Amino acid sequence: MIIILKNNAEKVQVEKLRQDMEARGMIIHESRGQETTLWGLVGDTSQINEDQLMSNKAVEAVRRIQEPYKAANRKFHPEDSVVDIGGKKIGGGHFQVIAGPCSIETEAQITEVAMSVKNSGAGLLRGGAFKPRTSPYAFQGLHDEGLKMLLEAKKATGLPVVTELMSPAHIELFEDVDMIQIGTRNMQNFELLKEVGKLKTPVLLKRGMANTLDELLMSAEYIMAGGNENVILCERGIRTFEPSMRNTLDLSAIPMLKKKSHLPVVVDPSHASGIRFMVRPLALAAIAAGADGLMIEVHNNPEKALCDGPQSLYMDEFDRLMVEIRKTEAFFAELNG
Amino acid sequence: MIIILKNNAEKVQVEKLRQDMEARGMIIHESRGQETTLWGLVGDTSQINEDQLMSNKAVEAVRRIQEPYKAANRKFHPEDSVVDIGGKKIGGGHFQVIAGPCSIETEAQITEVAMSVKNSGAGLLRGGAFKPRTSPYAFQGLHDEGLKMLLEAKKATGLPVVTELMSPAHIELFEDVDMIQIGTRNMQNFELLKEVGKLKTPVLLKRGMANTLDELLMSAEYIMAGGNENVILCERGIRTFEPSMRNTLDLSAIPMLKKKSHLPVVVDPSHASGIRFMVRPLALAAIAAGADGLMIEVHNNPEKALCDGPQSLYMDEFDRLMVEIRKTEAFFAELNG
Amino acid sequence: MIIILKNNAEKVQVEKLRQDMEARGMIIHESRGQETTLWGLVGDTSQINEDQLMSNKAVEAVRRIQEPYKAANRKFHPEDSVVDIGGKKIGGGHFQVIAGPCSIETEAQITEVAMSVKNSGAGLLRGGAFKPRTSPYAFQGLHDEGLKMLLEAKKATGLPVVTELMSPAHIELFEDVDMIQIGTRNMQNFELLKEVGKLKTPVLLKRGMANTLDELLMSAEYIMAGGNENVILCERGIRTFEPSMRNTLDLSAIPMLKKKSHLPVVVDPSHASGIRFMVRPLALAAIAAGADGLMIEVHNNPEKALCDGPQSLYMDEFDRLMVEIRKTEAFFAELNG
Amino acid sequence: MIIILKNNAEKVQVEKLRQDMEARGMIIHESRGQETTLWGLVGDTSQINEDQLMSNKAVEAVRRIQEPYKAANRKFHPEDSVVDIGGKKIGGGHFQVIAGPCSIETEAQITEVAMSVKNSGAGLLRGGAFKPRTSPYAFQGLHDEGLKMLLEAKKATGLPVVTELMSPAHIELFEDVDMIQIGTRNMQNFELLKEVGKLKTPVLLKRGMANTLDELLMSAEYIMAGGNENVILCERGIRTFEPSMRNTLDLSAIPMLKKKSHLPVVVDPSHASGIRFMVRPLALAAIAAGADGLMIEVHNNPEKALCDGPQSLYMDEFDRLMVEIRKTEAFFAELNG
């Protein structure tokens, strides 16, 4: 951590700061220039609060050198993490496709889609029972009824299931769920993160629409600091000025997250674009950029879907796409040696 | 609502769509151009799902004409709303300053600040017991202990209190709180919104860092649709590309929110800028732009504050600022007649 | 074009508007609802000014249905455009790699890099003689001296050359340049666009850092409306909130631009990320997403580069990457049939 | 300037870097921690290129401590600058309103508006002859004919005039213009900045839609480094995610620019919002936030305006607003002592 002192800092305040830092076990290396004096702090700075430093009137600016995340940091865990979700592995060379409808609508619907995506080669089934909707008047999901239908589809197909949790109050209902999704709007719902941190269930943590990668990793850190290391990061599009698609998929997040962290990275091209024709090129590009998995919306009848129809693939479309995904995945596995 | 049909739409699908819309009570006005056919839908379109329409292969685009919010909409409630918080009114010409520290740290601290801001003329006391922090390793607030201290300070000063709620699980602890704050990261924590919608306690709803004004109003709508109409909107800065301040205060939100909605609007210049010297000019500008209130961080010892020290005013600074706020408020009250 | 009339619009003003529209050859289809009246305008609306409509007090809102670009619009030119740059084709199945240093520094440097990238398989040579730098104190390029060196390198290798034009005043110097680059900061320098619109030289038009795809296409339209149809679009990263890389490459722009327009799309992963290790995954992902070409920075001595060293590939790195680019390109050419 | 060295940096490269820095007259203060080694560079770092440093394989990161602008920096010029525009002063306590139509349309129009705004109390006249329009098919201004009309209006009223320059090629036509405007899309048109840097004519430099304040100041620096110190900064709204207004006026830019720089700051609420009813509250708030002037669009017939009608004030509206602006300006002049 670097502290930049003000030119006109009062000696008394500088001295107080020095004593405070040394009392916390820091060693101070001073660089005194004509216009600025710098302190390089050596020691465990992770407990030092930048805000508190900034409140000292002698301080002009504070720059952190080390990342504030530890458990999620590749520096301390150089090997790729592999997360096992009901027998399906993601990360460290293991690639999975998670597929299914946005919302669970009926038992027939979710089972039909589950059967179909399984036959096409998907490794996990997705489906929402609790739906975060911008409008209170929009369909909010079937809740516990929906979860039951999803678990029936799991029983029928053997596919592990992924579904979104929106409140600590619902956590008991998720006991048989194989992976809990934390949605983009809850990425910084810290109380919810703490709750899933107490479980061992794998967590699919979606990046917030306007959040940085370090913020995403700090949210992963919340879960991991609680004891649950089974975290998978999910890039699902960020908010930009472009109005022609729902969000803008940030594929450059993949290599950067891989550099910063050992956690697996999954990409959701369906929510990112919100438009069916974009799912294929973005899915293939995500593989090329190094994603460990894909999350794709598939519906047995997109025109009647209660949610996200315009981006859901028809089951036969998905079947054809899976052939291409498998070929592309194999091509890059070989290219990357 | 306007539906734009594709040039090459199949007759069968257009016909299906027409029957579907008419079955829902819509009257269709058709404009057939050389390149595009438009349908103007007349009727109650608030229950019609744009996504579902977009899934019909005959549909090119859908444009909503009416706002999707009703309870919060000024069109249906032309008069300004006035919210009463423990005897202090905000909105419809009633102006209040909410002041206090970011975090409650000790009973002595919160009581000293409460006494001081009351003497300076603040109408309400703020102080956080549950703190949303980016890092799991940062101070998270004193929780129920902190709430008790806050209520002691309320008893000592008579000031109504405002404090942040982060989880439905904590709601019982907030019984004696006069106004519940929903923080910027929870603006779209819909399960939390539904919970405070069941209460009668006024809610201070902070705008999300990257959310539009309509999204803010839809979140207000969640609370109001549940039965709690005591909602106050709070502009607290949006995320932009500018790195020299924490966020960018959006004062243009004030006149636009006032046009769209009847709800009171409070401005928080402290969190927006994150820098002490900016609080004064932004506070005065917020009054000029039509704010119904201000929320300002004040601390008895900013250099030792556990949170947000760099933006907290010293108590004597706040005292001087309150004189200017009162003058400015009076000036604009007269100018606006 | 749709005009939404105000509820309380005065009859006189509505009538004036009707006459005005009809005088311009528009046919008006009216949809009268309880709360809103819509007009669908049928006719050539490309000359109608939305601002002027909005100024009529009877008008609530105006929504354009048709894209405002024509020459660049795929609707009117369904076939992919192919641009020939000194014998090298881009678009419609023709893929090219443009490589070279950020800045031309010496004749030895540009020639050495040119030879090297040619041997590795690059089709075109890039190199800047006029450099847009944020600081007036930074190296601004070698100007006409630099252009001469670039043309020497062209002579030595036979590679067509691409270089940036920053002012109409320099246009004569660019006579022997094979493709003129318009940089991201000049995407809406309309006077410059008009000037290159008068030439026949192909233009590489870089997307502005915070511009939408339609704005990019409108800038292409400026060039094409002037008579120069040889426009290649270039995605080079957009400004987002992510601080760990220079910009955020928007690969979703590729399929969307391909849908909207017939113009070729080239991707620049070097400027987008600003970091060497990201160039490879982003380059391969761009191919997967459907790019018609890549623009990659290569330097004979990145550590001594006067500009953009951290993102420039070493020549041997580029050589290895070209092998992978060719394999990837061949793989997707086959996959896409 | 701080250099952060990589943990695993090779000794040879570190030594090379040390020699290089010392050869440039830098004194290096080293702080060696367990995980990081920092160098604080003392000396004139303004000529050191961060990119070049970053290209050294031993370097992890570089952090600049000092601002890269000098001429525009308040640190080196603590007094407010005052710019004289044809006898009207802006800055250092001098406040001016610049008013007039977006575009010059006819001599009658510009003269009528000029007379009217002068009578209302405006100090300068604005009007565009060269118009930057997103579409090549939109009205582009009357060019030299328009400039003549503007100068006639100047003669008729005695008001100094402000108008936009879009190309170095037009600069001769601007000889009698009192202040040259550089538009938002040309803020980083560095060749144009260099040209106006050679003049003595005051320059109104508008902030780019997605540019930071430091970038704005670096563009001012381009002009000042050329020898023209008569620069006025203009905040005119930034691009955000909010769709209900054209741009989002950033009033927090005012106090921050005032802290960073000694240059005057003018605010344009008309272009920022693009909506008439927002001009008044934003204009008054800009004064409260410390603006040195306002730029407001006024038209004799907004409904027929060729450009920006929806945001232009009617002449009588402007007249009433000027009364309020004068009162507000006087109020804050007294409050600020």
Side-chain angles (χ1 to χ4, degrees):
Chain A
M1 187 172 265
I2 299 164
I3 299 177
I4 300 141
L5 297 177
K6 283 185 189 151
N7 258 352
N8 55 355
E10 285 176 37
K11 264 198 168 173
V12 187
Q13 281 178 315
V14 173
E15 215 34 57
K16 246 172 62 184
L17 185 65
R18 183 189 302 274
Q19 284 166 17
D20 186 19
M21 289 299 107
E22 289 176 350
R24 295 173 187 226
M26 296 294 129
I27 297 163
I28 298 172
H29 290 265
E30 187 171 282
S31 309
R32 198 183 291 262
Q34 268 181 312
E35 294 184 33
T36 339
T37 297
L38 305 182
W39 286 2
L41 295 192
V42 176
D44 176 14
T45 58
S46 71
Q47 304 303 317
I48 293 188
N49 189 324
E50 284 151 272
D51 271 2
Q52 233 175 320
L53 287 180
M54 281 297 291
S55 298
N56 186 302
K57 284 180 174 172
V59 174
E60 170 92 28
V62 176
R63 307 281 159 91
R64 193 174 275 282
I65 302 302
Q66 286 163 305
E67 299 85 2
Y69 44 93
K70 303 205 140 179
N73 197 330
R74 191 180 280 275
K75 277 194 191 151
F76 309 120
H77 307 72
E79 298 287 304
D80 284 348
S81 281
V82 180
V83 177
D84 186 306
I85 309 135
K88 299 293 168 71
K89 289 179 178 161
I90 296 189
H94 301 273
F95 183 89
Q96 297 291 345
V97 177
I98 307 165
C102 180
S103 297
I104 301 155
E105 297 170 10
T106 64
E107 194 174 320
Q109 172 245 16
I110 186 68
T111 308
E112 183 183 352
V113 178
M115 292 286 197
S116 173
V117 299
K118 187 192 180 183
N119 288 338
S120 300
L124 297 100
L125 175 66
R126 61 150 291 155
F130 293 88
K131 301 299 307 168
R133 305 301 297 272
T134 306
S135 166
Y137 310 122
F139 174 59
Q140 308 271 323
L142 297 180
H143 297 181
D144 45 344
E145 283 305 306
L147 285 181
K148 273 184 219 158
M149 295 171 187
L150 183 66
L151 294 172
E152 286 301 319
K154 173 184 174 178
K155 208 181 291 177
T157 58
L159 290 180
V161 295
V162 187
T163 193
E164 180 165 352
L165 173 70
M166 286 177 66
S167 170
H170 306 146
I171 214 157
E172 288 169 24
L173 300 168
F174 283 65
E175 207 176 322
D176 297 327
V177 165
D178 299 285
M179 180 153 63
I180 292 174
Q181 177 177 312
I182 301 294
T184 188
R185 289 171 188 77
N186 281 320
M187 190 198 94
Q188 292 193 317
N189 180 342
F190 301 119
E191 296 298 317
L192 191 60
L193 298 179
K194 285 178 191 169
E195 288 303 316
V196 296
K198 296 177 190 164
L199 309 176
K200 289 296 170 204
T201 316
V203 176
L204 185 75
L205 177 64
K206 291 195 146 189
R207 179 182 180 188
M209 256 178 272
N211 285 107
T212 66
L213 300 179
D214 274 9
E215 287 170 343
L216 173 61
L217 290 171
M218 288 309 291
S219 287
E221 192 82 10
Y222 257 97
I223 301 169
M224 298 171 88
N228 187 351
E229 303 219 324
N230 300 308
V231 178
I232 293 175
L233 307 171
C234 181
E235 162 60 33
R236 47 75 69 210
I238 54 173
R239 189 162 266 196
T240 70
F241 303 134
E242 177 57 37
S244 68
M245 32 191 141
R246 186 151 65 178
N247 288 116
T248 297
L249 187 63
D250 175 11
L251 291 176
S252 63
I254 305 171
M256 187 50 90
L257 283 172
K258 292 271 166 196
K259 180 151 193 276
K260 287 172 173 277
S261 177
H262 52 91
L263 297 174
V265 179
V266 159
V267 168
D268 177 346
S270 305
H271 280 89
S273 63
I275 314 176
R276 192 174 296 132
F277 88 89
M278 297 187 77
V279 172
R280 177 190 180 275
L282 295 179
L284 301 183
I287 299 171
D292 297 298
L294 292 166
M295 190 162 190
I296 294 176
E297 286 195 3
V298 181
H299 198 281
N300 56 341
N301 190 353
E303 301 193 19
K304 294 285 182 197
L306 293 177
C307 169
D308 283 348
Q311 78 205 33
S312 294
L313 298 191
Y314 289 82
M315 295 189 298
D316 59 337
E317 268 182 305
F318 177 72
D319 192 60
R320 289 191 299 274
L321 177 57
M322 274 304 293
V323 175
E324 299 186 307
I325 285 174
R326 269 193 301 252
K327 282 185 190 169
T328 304
E329 210 266 308
F331 170 77
F332 282 103
E334 201 191 312
L335 192 75
N336 297 333
Chain B
M1 187 173 267
I2 300 164
I3 299 177
I4 301 141
L5 297 177
K6 283 186 188 150
N7 256 353
N8 55 356
E10 285 176 38
K11 264 201 166 169
V12 187
Q13 280 178 315
V14 174
E15 214 33 59
K16 248 172 62 183
L17 184 66
R18 182 188 301 277
Q19 285 166 19
D20 186 19
M21 289 300 105
E22 289 176 349
R24 295 172 187 226
M26 297 294 130
I27 297 162
I28 298 173
H29 290 265
E30 187 170 284
S31 309
R32 199 183 291 261
Q34 267 180 314
E35 293 184 33
T36 338
T37 298
L38 305 182
W39 284 2
L41 294 193
V42 178
D44 176 15
T45 59
S46 70
Q47 305 302 317
I48 293 188
N49 187 325
E50 284 152 272
D51 271 2
Q52 231 175 322
L53 287 178
M54 280 298 289
S55 298
N56 187 303
K57 284 180 176 172
V59 174
E60 170 93 26
V62 176
R63 306 280 159 92
R64 192 173 277 282
I65 301 303
Q66 285 162 305
E67 298 86 2
Y69 44 92
K70 304 205 142 182
N73 197 330
R74 191 179 281 275
K75 276 194 192 151
F76 309 122
H77 307 73
E79 298 287 306
D80 284 348
S81 280
V82 179
V83 177
D84 186 305
I85 308 135
K88 299 292 169 71
K89 289 180 178 163
I90 296 189
H94 303 272
F95 183 88
Q96 296 291 346
V97 177
I98 307 166
C102 180
S103 297
I104 300 155
E105 298 171 9
T106 64
E107 196 176 318
Q109 172 244 16
I110 186 70
T111 308
E112 183 183 351
V113 178
M115 292 288 195
S116 174
V117 300
K118 186 190 179 185
N119 288 338
S120 299
L124 297 101
L125 175 66
R126 62 151 289 155
F130 293 88
K131 301 300 307 169
R133 305 301 297 269
T134 307
S135 166
Y137 310 123
F139 174 60
Q140 308 271 323
L142 296 180
H143 296 181
D144 44 346
E145 282 306 305
L147 286 181
K148 274 185 219 158
M149 295 171 189
L150 183 66
L151 294 173
E152 287 302 318
K154 173 184 173 177
K155 209 182 292 176
T157 57
L159 290 180
V161 295
V162 187
T163 192
E164 180 165 354
L165 173 70
M166 287 177 65
S167 170
H170 307 146
I171 215 156
E172 288 170 23
L173 300 168
F174 283 65
E175 208 177 321
D176 296 327
V177 164
D178 299 284
M179 179 151 65
I180 292 174
Q181 177 178 312
I182 300 294
T184 186
R185 290 170 188 77
N186 281 320
M187 189 198 94
Q188 293 193 316
N189 180 343
F190 301 119
E191 295 299 317
L192 190 61
L193 299 178
K194 284 178 193 170
E195 289 303 316
V196 296
K198 294 177 190 163
L199 309 175
K200 291 294 169 205
T201 314
V203 176
L204 185 75
L205 177 64
K206 290 195 146 188
R207 181 182 179 188
M209 256 178 273
N211 284 106
T212 65
L213 299 179
D214 275 9
E215 286 169 345
L216 173 60
L217 291 170
M218 288 309 290
S219 287
E221 192 83 9
Y222 257 97
I223 301 169
M224 298 172 89
N228 186 350
E229 303 219 323
N230 300 308
V231 178
I232 293 176
L233 307 171
C234 181
E235 160 60 32
R236 49 75 68 209
I238 54 173
R239 191 163 263 196
T240 69
F241 302 134
E242 177 56 36
S244 67
M245 34 192 139
R246 188 153 64 181
N247 289 117
T248 297
L249 186 64
D250 174 12
L251 290 176
S252 62
I254 305 171
M256 187 50 91
L257 283 173
K258 293 269 166 198
K259 177 150 196 276
K260 287 171 172 278
S261 177
H262 51 91
L263 297 173
V265 179
V266 160
V267 168
D268 178 346
S270 304
H271 279 89
S273 63
I275 313 177
R276 192 173 297 130
F277 88 88
M278 298 186 74
V279 173
R280 177 190 179 275
L282 295 179
L284 302 184
I287 298 171
D292 297 299
L294 292 166
M295 190 162 189
I296 294 177
E297 284 194 4
V298 180
H299 198 281
N300 55 341
N301 190 355
E303 302 193 18
K304 294 284 182 197
L306 293 176
C307 170
D308 282 349
Q311 77 205 31
S312 294
L313 297 191
Y314 289 82
M315 295 188 299
D316 59 337
E317 269 183 306
F318 177 70
D319 192 61
R320 288 191 299 274
L321 178 56
M322 275 304 295
V323 175
E324 300 187 308
I325 286 174
R326 269 193 301 251
K327 282 186 189 168
T328 305
E329 211 266 308
F331 170 77
F332 283 104
E334 198 191 315
L335 192 75
N336 298 332
Chain C
M1 188 172 266
I2 300 164
I3 298 178
I4 301 141
L5 297 176
K6 283 187 187 148
N7 257 353
N8 54 354
E10 284 176 39
K11 264 200 168 170
V12 186
Q13 281 179 313
V14 174
E15 213 34 58
K16 246 171 62 183
L17 184 66
R18 183 189 300 276
Q19 285 166 18
D20 185 20
M21 289 300 106
E22 288 175 351
R24 296 173 186 226
M26 297 295 129
I27 297 163
I28 298 172
H29 289 265
E30 186 170 285
S31 308
R32 199 183 291 261
Q34 267 180 312
E35 294 184 32
T36 337
T37 298
L38 305 182
W39 285 2
L41 295 193
V42 177
D44 176 14
T45 59
S46 70
Q47 304 303 319
I48 293 189
N49 189 324
E50 284 152 272
D51 270 1
Q52 232 176 321
L53 287 179
M54 280 298 290
S55 298
N56 187 301
K57 284 182 176 171
V59 174
E60 169 93 28
V62 176
R63 307 281 160 91
R64 192 174 275 284
I65 302 303
Q66 285 162 305
E67 298 85 3
Y69 44 93
K70 302 206 143 179
N73 198 330
R74 190 178 280 276
K75 277 194 190 149
F76 309 122
H77 307 71
E79 298 288 303
D80 284 347
S81 280
V82 179
V83 177
D84 187 305
I85 309 134
K88 300 292 170 69
K89 290 180 177 161
I90 296 189
H94 302 273
F95 182 90
Q96 295 291 347
V97 177
I98 306 165
C102 180
S103 298
I104 300 156
E105 298 169 12
T106 63
E107 196 175 318
Q109 172 244 19
I110 187 70
T111 309
E112 183 183 352
V113 178
M115 293 285 195
S116 175
V117 300
K118 186 192 181 184
N119 288 338
S120 300
L124 298 102
L125 175 66
R126 61 151 291 154
F130 293 88
K131 301 299 306 169
R133 304 301 298 270
T134 307
S135 166
Y137 310 122
F139 175 60
Q140 308 270 323
L142 297 180
H143 297 181
D144 44 345
E145 282 305 304
L147 286 180
K148 275 183 218 157
M149 295 171 187
L150 183 66
L151 295 172
E152 286 302 318
K154 173 183 174 178
K155 209 181 290 175
T157 58
L159 290 180
V161 296
V162 187
T163 193
E164 180 164 353
L165 173 70
M166 286 176 66
S167 170
H170 307 146
I171 215 156
E172 288 169 24
L173 301 167
F174 283 65
E175 207 177 319
D176 296 328
V177 164
D178 299 284
M179 179 152 65
I180 291 174
Q181 177 178 310
I182 300 295
T184 187
R185 289 170 188 78
N186 282 319
M187 190 197 96
Q188 294 194 317
N189 180 343
F190 300 119
E191 295 299 317
L192 191 60
L193 299 178
K194 285 178 191 168
E195 289 303 317
V196 296
K198 295 176 189 164
L199 310 174
K200 290 295 169 205
T201 315
V203 177
L204 185 74
L205 178 64
K206 289 196 147 188
R207 179 182 180 188
M209 255 178 275
N211 285 107
T212 65
L213 300 178
D214 275 9
E215 287 169 345
L216 173 60
L217 291 170
M218 287 310 289
S219 288
E221 192 83 9
Y222 257 96
I223 301 168
M224 298 173 88
N228 187 350
E229 303 218 325
N230 299 309
V231 178
I232 293 176
L233 307 170
C234 181
E235 160 60 31
R236 47 75 69 211
I238 54 173
R239 189 163 266 195
T240 70
F241 303 134
E242 178 57 35
S244 68
M245 32 191 142
R246 188 152 63 180
N247 288 118
T248 297
L249 186 63
D250 175 11
L251 290 175
S252 63
I254 305 171
M256 186 51 89
L257 283 173
K258 292 270 166 196
K259 179 151 195 276
K260 287 171 172 277
S261 177
H262 52 91
L263 297 173
V265 179
V266 160
V267 168
D268 177 347
S270 304
H271 279 89
S273 63
I275 312 177
R276 192 173 296 130
F277 87 89
M278 297 185 76
V279 173
R280 177 190 181 274
L282 295 179
L284 302 183
I287 299 171
D292 297 298
L294 292 166
M295 190 164 192
I296 294 177
E297 285 195 2
V298 181
H299 198 281
N300 55 342
N301 190 354
E303 302 193 19
K304 294 284 180 196
L306 293 176
C307 170
D308 282 348
Q311 77 205 32
S312 295
L313 297 191
Y314 289 81
M315 296 189 299
D316 59 336
E317 268 182 308
F318 177 70
D319 192 62
R320 289 191 298 274
L321 178 56
M322 275 303 294
V323 175
E324 300 187 308
I325 285 174
R326 270 193 301 253
K327 281 186 188 168
T328 304
E329 211 266 308
F331 171 77
F332 283 104
E334 200 192 313
L335 192 75
N336 298 331
Chain D
M1 188 173 264
I2 299 164
I3 300 178
I4 300 141
L5 298 176
K6 281 185 188 152
N7 257 351
N8 55 353
E10 285 176 38
K11 265 200 167 171
V12 187
Q13 280 179 314
V14 173
E15 214 35 57
K16 247 174 59 187
L17 185 65
R18 182 189 301 276
Q19 285 166 18
D20 186 19
M21 289 300 105
E22 289 175 351
R24 295 176 186 222
M26 296 294 130
I27 296 163
I28 298 173
H29 289 266
E30 186 171 285
S31 309
R32 199 184 291 263
Q34 269 181 313
E35 293 184 33
T36 339
T37 297
L38 306 181
W39 285 1
L41 295 192
V42 176
D44 176 14
T45 58
S46 70
Q47 304 302 318
I48 294 188
N49 189 323
E50 285 152 272
D51 270 3
Q52 232 175 321
L53 287 179
M54 281 298 290
S55 297
N56 187 302
K57 283 179 175 173
V59 174
E60 170 93 26
V62 177
R63 306 282 159 91
R64 194 174 274 282
I65 302 302
Q66 286 162 306
E67 298 85 1
Y69 45 92
K70 302 203 142 186
N73 197 331
R74 190 180 281 276
K75 278 192 190 153
F76 309 122
H77 307 71
E79 298 287 304
D80 284 348
S81 281
V82 179
V83 178
D84 186 305
I85 308 134
K88 299 291 169 71
K89 290 181 176 157
I90 297 189
H94 302 273
F95 183 90
Q96 297 290 346
V97 177
I98 307 165
C102 181
S103 298
I104 301 155
E105 298 170 10
T106 64
E107 195 176 316
Q109 171 245 17
I110 186 69
T111 308
E112 181 182 353
V113 178
M115 293 286 196
S116 173
V117 299
K118 186 191 179 185
N119 288 338
S120 300
L124 297 101
L125 175 66
R126 61 150 290 153
F130 293 88
K131 301 299 307 168
R133 304 301 298 268
T134 307
S135 166
Y137 310 124
F139 174 60
Q140 307 271 324
L142 298 180
H143 297 182
D144 44 345
E145 282 305 305
L147 285 181
K148 273 184 221 158
M149 295 171 187
L150 182 66
L151 294 173
E152 287 301 320
K154 174 184 172 176
K155 208 182 291 175
T157 58
L159 290 181
V161 295
V162 187
T163 192
E164 180 165 353
L165 173 70
M166 286 176 66
S167 171
H170 307 147
I171 215 158
E172 288 169 23
L173 300 168
F174 283 66
E175 209 178 319
D176 297 327
V177 164
D178 299 284
M179 179 151 66
I180 292 175
Q181 177 178 312
I182 300 295
T184 187
R185 288 170 189 78
N186 281 320
M187 189 198 94
Q188 293 194 316
N189 180 343
F190 301 117
E191 296 298 318
L192 191 60
L193 299 179
K194 285 178 192 170
E195 289 303 317
V196 296
K198 296 176 190 164
L199 310 175
K200 290 294 169 206
T201 315
V203 176
L204 185 75
L205 177 64
K206 290 195 146 188
R207 180 183 180 187
M209 255 178 274
N211 285 107
T212 64
L213 299 179
D214 274 9
E215 286 169 345
L216 172 60
L217 290 170
M218 288 309 291
S219 288
E221 192 83 8
Y222 257 97
I223 301 168
M224 298 173 89
N228 187 349
E229 302 219 324
N230 300 308
V231 178
I232 293 176
L233 307 170
C234 182
E235 161 61 32
R236 47 75 70 212
I238 54 173
R239 190 162 265 196
T240 69
F241 303 134
E242 177 57 37
S244 68
M245 33 191 140
R246 189 153 63 178
N247 288 116
T248 297
L249 186 63
D250 175 11
L251 290 177
S252 62
I254 305 172
M256 187 51 89
L257 284 173
K258 292 271 165 196
K259 178 150 195 274
K260 287 170 173 279
S261 177
H262 52 92
L263 297 173
V265 179
V266 159
V267 168
D268 178 346
S270 304
H271 279 89
S273 63
I275 313 176
R276 191 173 296 132
F277 87 88
M278 296 186 76
V279 172
R280 177 190 179 275
L282 295 179
L284 302 183
I287 299 172
D292 297 298
L294 292 166
M295 190 164 191
I296 295 177
E297 285 195 3
V298 181
H299 199 282
N300 56 341
N301 190 353
E303 302 192 20
K304 293 284 181 198
L306 292 176
C307 171
D308 283 348
Q311 76 205 32
S312 294
L313 298 192
Y314 289 83
M315 295 188 298
D316 58 337
E317 267 182 307
F318 177 71
D319 192 60
R320 287 192 299 275
L321 178 56
M322 274 305 293
V323 174
E324 300 187 306
I325 285 174
R326 270 193 302 252
K327 281 186 190 168
T328 304
E329 211 265 308
F331 170 76
F332 282 103
E334 198 190 314
L335 193 74
N336 297 332

